[in-house]
């Protein structure tokens, strides 16, 4: 297509079937082979100027054009479409296919054949997708307990589903493979988790043998005035634990953090702050620091608070 040629409005934003565009007279086969268009899948194209190789939704839109009836996006792709982004940069699109349907392998697509009941899939913005409950159930049966809880926490935090719904969902499928893993993940799940890394930090504490902290704890001064909310707290020892993400490096956020930290200290709170490196690479050190803080506070706490 010449550089000055007009792009048909119907093809300017979303992936499309090349054969349909040709049949509708919007393009010719020669035009499709030009630099203005990018081939994503067999017979599926997108405007080259709008091509984003790491745009998971673009790939979902492209794959949707090839899906047979009864297929649905599932797993991490379903979670993403519901607004829960747990993806790595190169995560392939996850698709549940009906039994008997076969598709050629593609590096950007992961096909599977899970059994989907009629109530297990829905349509979201025109795309077939597993329901939040089914998505949580699938992701909650992963081999990694941590990643299972991270996924369930994230779906609960978005209020896409509730704990009691997932409990009932599992009970109705008690003979399904992996249901015990899902129940274990659900036992650790908490809808107050603020982010996947906060979930990982909490699991590090609990699975490391420390008491379960209180999530999103609000701290008030002696007059009942709000001082701040902390990610995790051990209220009886006045220990607060914060996860520091990258956004805390911004100057304005840093200033707010300092003022908040000083206000918490003025109320007698000890604040421990951890980063992703602490959680992922140095969990033993993290546990040792929290354990030491608890021990010190136990020794100085008033009688009856230990």
């Amino acid at each position: 297509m010449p550089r000055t040629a007009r792009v048909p409005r119907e093809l300017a934003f979303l992936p499309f079937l090349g054969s349909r565009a040709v049949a509708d007279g919007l393009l010719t086969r020669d035009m499709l082979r030009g630099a203005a268009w990018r081939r994503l899948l067999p017979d599926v194209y997108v405007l080259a100027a709008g091509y984003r190789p790491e745009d998971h939704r673009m790939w979902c839109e492209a794959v949707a054009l090839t899906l047979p009836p009864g297929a649905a996006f599932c797993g991490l792709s379903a979670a993403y479409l519901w607004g829960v982004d747990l993806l790595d940069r190169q995560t392939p699109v996850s698709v549940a296919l009906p039994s008997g349907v076969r598709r050629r392998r593609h590096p950007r697509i992961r096909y599977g054949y899970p059994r989907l009941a009629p109530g297990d899939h829905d349509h979201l913005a025109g795309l077939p997708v597993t329901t939040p409950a089914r998505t949580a159930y699938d992701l909650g049966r992963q081999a990694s307990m941590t990643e299972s809880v991270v996924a369930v926490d994230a779906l609960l935090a978005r209020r896409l589903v509730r704990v009691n719904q997932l409990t009932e969902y599992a009970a109705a499928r008690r003979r399904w493979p992996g249901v015990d893993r899902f129940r274990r993940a659900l036992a650790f799940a908490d809808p107050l988790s603020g982010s996947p890394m906060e979930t990982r930090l909490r699991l590090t504490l609990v699975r490391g043998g420390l008491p379960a902290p209180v999530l999103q704890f609000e701290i008030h001064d002696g007059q009942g005035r709000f001082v701040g909310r902390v990610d995790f707290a051990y209220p009886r020892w006045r220990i607060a634990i914060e996860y520091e993400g990258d956004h805390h490096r911004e100057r304005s956020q840093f200033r707010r953090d300092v003022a908040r930290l000083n206000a918490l200290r003025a109320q007698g709170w000890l604040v421990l702050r951890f980063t992703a490196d602490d959680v992922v690479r140095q969990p033993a050190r993290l546990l040792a620091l929290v354990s030491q803080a608890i021990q010190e506070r136990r020794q100085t706490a008033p009688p009856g608070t230990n």
Side-chain angles (χ1 to χ4, degrees), residues 41 45 99 157 188 205 276 303:
L41 302 168
Y45 298 80
S99 61
F188 281 105
L205 297 173

Side-chain angles (χ1 to χ4, degrees), residues 236-253:
R236 58 180 169 172
W237 302 309
R238 294 203 171 194
I239 297 174
I241 300 172
E242 295 274 76
Y243 171 72
E244 305 292 346
D246 288 341
H247 70 283
H248 287 273
R249 300 176 184 177
E250 299 173 2
R251 179 175 296 181
S252 60
Q253 183 63 49

Side-chain angles (χ1 to χ4, degrees), residues 84 86 142 144-158 184-208 213 215-216 231-232 241-244 275-276 279-280 286:
V84 174
L86 301 171
Q142 299 178 87
S144 167
M145 174 62 70
T146 296
E147 296 310 310
S148 294
V149 180
V150 164
V152 175
D153 269 7
L155 289 160
L156 291 171
R158 286 278 296 180
R184 286 195 295 272
L186 193 55
F188 281 105
D190 195 310
L192 294 179
S193 182
S195 70
M197 284 307 302
E198 287 186 23
T199 295
R200 293 185 175 95
L201 196 162
R202 176 169 58 87
L203 290 178
T204 298
L205 297 173
V206 175
R207 300 181 79 184
L215 278 66
Q216 306 302 325
D231 297 334
F232 308 102
I241 300 172
E242 295 274 76
Y243 171 72
E244 305 292 346
T275 66
V279 177
V280 176
L286 184 157

Side-chain angles (χ1 to χ4, degrees), residues 98-113:
S99 61
V101 175
R102 294 293 179 267
R103 285 287 188 269
R104 289 184 179 180
R105 291 184 178 182
H106 190 281
R108 298 306 304 244
I109 310 171
R110 180 184 293 125
Y111 293 114
Y113 298 89

Side-chain angles (χ1 to χ4, degrees), residues 1 6-8 11 16-32 36-37 45:
M1 177 179 288
R6 177 178 174 273
V7 174
L11 311 179
F16 60 90
L17 292 174
S19 57
R20 176 66 59 82
V22 171
D24 291 344
L26 300 174
L27 296 173
T28 66
R29 288 291 178 187
D30 287 340
M31 288 177 177
L32 273 179
W37 307 102
Y45 298 80

